[in-house]
Amino acid sequence: MTTSHEIRDCVVVTGASTGIGAASARELARRGFHVLAGVRRDQDADALRAPGIEPVILDITQPGHITELAARVDSQAGALRALVNNAAIQINAPLEILPLSEWRRQFEVNLFGHVAVTQALLPALLRHSGRVVNISSVGGRVAMPTYGPYAGTKFALEAISDSLRRELAPLGVRVVVVEPGSVRTEMADRVIVATNQAAAVMSPEQRDRYGSLIQAINAHSAAHTPGGTPADAAARVIAKAVTTRKPRTRYTIGRDAALITRLTRVLPDRMLDRILVASLRPHYPKATTA
């Protein structure tokens, strides 16, 4: 906790247990902010707690947790300078096989939870001309096969961010989108596990249709993650989005994200389809390669 003679401005970071969120909490604390870092479990809080970092138990799908967070922000001596909406889950699965309950769960966490937190903290952000930083994804610009559920949430987050930016600009609150590509975090392994769990309940006919595709998607992810951007480097981009005086509306993280976002602006859909198919081809099981 800060003392009365050491009042720090505050930043809220959701999804700070691991990966980009944890790295961002540490980077923002290093830059002099008091970070309210949302985590799901007590052990995550214990691992993250450090000078300038105050972990708070936060499930952004739980209204009670959000109410408690807003009350904590209002009790903070320093101004709320930014909300970093980072929490996310991901399951890659063909549209046909993923139950609607899992679609809804991804949208609850990756979209509606962020809306709820933003609604609760906007009064404080408006009082202090703060900033909303929404962590999207390169998947908010292009949807690989099986990425429909996750990319759907990120495309929606991008649209909401655009609308919110235009609503709040006259009121002094900036809205920034950050679009990471491949980042070296624990999330990639969790995604593969979740994807395999979803695939395990496929019917034989569905396995014939999608089994090789799912293996290729998992292999593609496993191959690209080790060469991805380190979480600490991603955190520096997010900190820039929080602190720079005149931020851009969007920042990418990683060369892959920068390249893909450029391609989506200039290439027709069919050409982009062919590029994505070619990127997956080396990762299909050998026995099914034509």
Side-chain angles (χ1 to χ4, degrees):
M1 296 293 292
T2 56
T3 63
S4 59
H5 62 276
E6 187 190 359
I7 296 174
R8 294 182 171 197
D9 286 345
C10 177
V11 175
V12 171
V13 180
T14 70
S17 294
T18 59
I20 292 176
S24 297
R26 295 186 181 103
E27 178 65 20
L28 289 162
R30 188 185 68 80
R31 296 190 184 208
F33 291 100
H34 182 80
V35 181
L36 297 176
V39 298
R40 294 284 302 276
R41 303 176 302 174
D42 290 334
Q43 53 263 49
D44 297 330
D46 293 338
L48 188 61
R49 187 175 287 107
I53 300 177
E54 179 185 342
V56 293
I57 299 299
L58 178 64
D59 178 341
I60 64 172
T61 68
Q62 296 296 319
H65 287 190
I66 296 172
T67 298
E68 292 174 4
L69 173 65
R72 176 66 191 89
V73 167
D74 286 341
S75 72
Q76 171 74 18
L80 179 61
R81 289 303 179 194
L83 163 62
V84 180
N85 283 314
N86 171 71
I89 59 173
Q90 181 176 354
I91 303 173
N92 297 331
L95 181 147
E96 180 182 354
I97 75 165
L98 193 67
L100 274 176
S101 60
E102 289 299 325
W103 282 82
R104 292 187 175 107
R105 186 166 73 97
Q106 287 202 67
F107 272 84
E108 286 293 338
V109 175
N110 297 1
L111 184 67
F112 300 132
H114 297 320
V115 171
V117 174
T118 303
Q119 286 178 334
L121 298 189
L122 260 179
L125 290 166
L126 287 162
R127 284 196 300 272
H128 302 294
S129 298
R131 192 167 297 182
V132 178
V133 179
N134 287 331
I135 310 305
S136 179
S137 167
V138 68
R141 294 295 194 97
V142 62
M144 295 274 286
T146 77
Y147 276 63
Y150 178 73
T153 67
K154 296 301 187 179
F155 269 70
L157 184 62
E158 297 258 352
I160 286 173
S161 299
D162 285 343
S163 179
L164 186 64
R165 185 180 70 249
R166 292 157 187 157
E167 291 170 11
L168 297 182
L171 304 176
V173 172
R174 297 178 184 272
V175 178
V176 182
V177 173
V178 178
E179 299 166 335
S182 181
V183 179
R184 298 202 299 267
T185 70
E186 302 89 335
M187 185 173 181
D189 292 336
R190 293 198 297 267
V191 171
I192 291 174
V193 170
T195 297
N196 287 337
Q197 289 173 342
V201 299
M202 289 191 297
S203 69
E205 293 81 7
Q206 290 170 338
R207 190 165 289 107
D208 286 342
R209 285 195 283 272
Y210 305 118
S212 295
L213 171 62
I214 290 172
Q215 290 182 59
I217 287 289
N218 283 344
H220 180 274
S221 176
H224 284 80
T225 298
T229 303
D232 289 346
R236 289 192 290 272
V237 176
I238 292 168
K240 181 179 181 181
V242 168
T243 59
T244 192
R245 191 169 68 87
K246 292 185 177 180
R248 301 202 301 262
T249 59
R250 281 175 169 79
Y251 292 86
T252 57
I253 295 177
R255 293 180 180 178
D256 55 340
L259 174 61
I260 290 171
T261 54
R262 283 197 293 269
L263 291 178
T264 61
R265 291 195 292 266
V266 299
L267 292 182
D269 288 345
R270 298 299 185 189
M271 179 65 72
L272 191 58
D273 289 351
R274 287 195 286 273
I275 290 172
L276 296 178
V277 167
S279 73
L280 279 177
R281 190 174 294 121
H283 302 284
Y284 273 84
K286 297 301 182 183
T288 63
T289 303

